[in-house]
Amino acid sequence: MAKSFVPSQYDVKITPIKRNHNQAWLKMRPGQNERSRMTWLYGLTGLLVFQLLGEMAVRLLHLPVPGPVVGMLLLLGWLFWRGDTPPALDQAAKGLLNHLSLLFVPAGVGAMIYLDALMANVWAVVLSLTLGTVLTLMVTAWVSQKTQRRSTMRQPERSDG
């Protein structure tokens, strides 16, 4: 009798998975840690809801800004108003940030396709990238200082006595 090469349900080998805190959401198997998986899904849904709100605001108000940018600003305002990050949103953001490099693949492909147009406007591209980077660093430093001051103001003073 010939042996079948199609695996049956009895041929599956189950091996334990070593968990890394940063990538645990990616390695989950069905039936394992369903609460964690749902928490990540709730966080991703929250991110998509803010993107949808941004898209709606842009369409209703005819703003010359992309909807996801407005959604990100709405999310930022909500987080400042709330004062902390919900665990579900934190878990979803960390999971997406772990794989952020994958989001640069379409941009790289587009740069290769339009290489002639980029080379024709090389000085405008260099100037905009430089100014954008400097502006981003300045805003990041300012936000970091504000949040650091805010967090030190919230901490109660300790008495070492």
Side-chain angles (χ1 to χ4, degrees), residues 19-149:
R19 299 263 186 227
N20 180 354
H21 265 350
N22 295 335
Q23 296 178 351
W25 69 275
L26 182 64
K27 296 180 180 177
M28 281 188 267
R29 301 286 186 250
Q32 288 183 331
N33 205 353
E34 291 292 330
R35 174 176 281 168
S36 179
R37 184 181 304 192
M38 290 305 295
T39 302
W40 182 82
L41 190 59
Y42 291 147
L44 186 63
T45 303
L47 290 173
L48 291 174
V49 164
F50 276 101
Q51 181 178 356
L52 176 66
L53 290 174
E55 290 285 352
M56 289 172 35
V58 165
R59 304 263 168 126
L60 291 174
L61 303 174
H62 304 291
L63 299 173
V65 180
V69 172
V70 174
M72 190 71 73
L73 292 174
L74 290 171
L75 174 64
L76 179 67
W78 179 71
L79 289 173
F80 272 128
W81 175 76
R82 183 180 160 96
D84 67 337
T85 307
L89 192 65
D90 188 49
Q91 185 178 6
K94 285 179 182 175
L96 291 171
L97 285 175
N98 283 336
H99 302 287
L100 185 65
S101 60
L102 290 176
L103 300 177
F104 289 104
V105 172
V109 171
M112 292 298 111
I113 290 174
Y114 294 106
L115 189 59
D116 295 336
L118 286 172
M119 294 310 288
N121 301 306
V122 69
W123 293 112
V125 171
V126 168
L127 181 67
S128 62
L129 286 174
T130 304
L131 290 177
T133 301
V134 169
L135 183 64
T136 300
L137 287 173
M138 290 170 50
V139 169
T140 302
W142 179 76
V143 168
S144 177
Q145 286 178 345
K146 291 291 184 186
T147 55
Q148 191 174 22
R149 285 186 201 147

